Amino acid sequence: MVKDHIDKKNLEILSDNEKYTSLADLADELPENTPRFVLLSHPLTLPDGRTTAPYVLLSYLPQTCTSEARMLYAGARELMRTEAETSRVIEVEDEEGVLAVKDKLMEQAT
């Protein structure tokens, strides 16, 4: 998992270059008032025993962020998805949403 943010001054998407090994660690590190993009490859074991690691983009837009930040990140979401070469985007608004990503990935994989 790698966290990315937008530099408002230059309008560039920058990587924090931090890697997380669990969704709980990621949820703890996400800011409460600032959106982030997260590239996620999370290993899953499917009901039939196969292992998969879907590659998705998390679009983290907390309800407490400014409308300016919401517009900036909403406008950049498609560019980020295209540049990251991922076909799936999961939108989350809070820590609970981040922790529920594994369930969403399981639903989509089956």
Side-chain angles (χ1 to χ4, degrees), residues 55-71:
Y55 182 59
V56 298
L57 172 67
L58 296 185
S59 178
Y60 173 71
L61 281 170
Q63 292 181 348
T64 55
C65 70
T66 65
S67 57
E68 176 187 6
R70 284 185 169 279
M71 289 176 49

Side-chain angles (χ1 to χ4, degrees), residues 43-91:
L44 302 171
T45 301
L46 301 175
D48 62 4
R50 291 180 296 139
T51 302
T52 185
Y55 182 59
V56 298
L57 172 67
L58 296 185
S59 178
Y60 173 71
L61 281 170
Q63 292 181 348
T64 55
C65 70
T66 65
S67 57
E68 176 187 6
R70 284 185 169 279
M71 289 176 49
L72 185 63
Y73 274 77
R77 182 175 37 233
E78 186 61 25
L79 173 64
M80 185 67 186
R81 186 196 66 76
T82 302
E83 290 295 316
E85 297 180 353
T86 180
S87 60
R88 293 191 271 183
V89 177
I90 297 176
E91 296 183 15

Side-chain angles (χ1 to χ4, degrees), residues 3-20:
K3 223 172 27 172
D4 295 323
H5 67 280
I6 297 176
D7 177 357
K8 288 184 189 179
K9 184 177 179 182
N10 299 325
L11 296 178
E12 293 179 302
I13 298 173
L14 304 173
S15 177
D16 289 348
N17 287 326
E18 295 182 43
K19 295 191 180 183
Y20 301 90

Side-chain angles (χ1 to χ4, degrees), residues 1 21-23 40-44 52-56 101-102 105:
M1 295 174 243
T21 56
S22 76
L23 291 172
L40 171 70
S41 180
H42 188 70
L44 302 171
T52 185
Y55 182 59
V56 298
V101 165
K102 183 176 179 179
L105 291 172

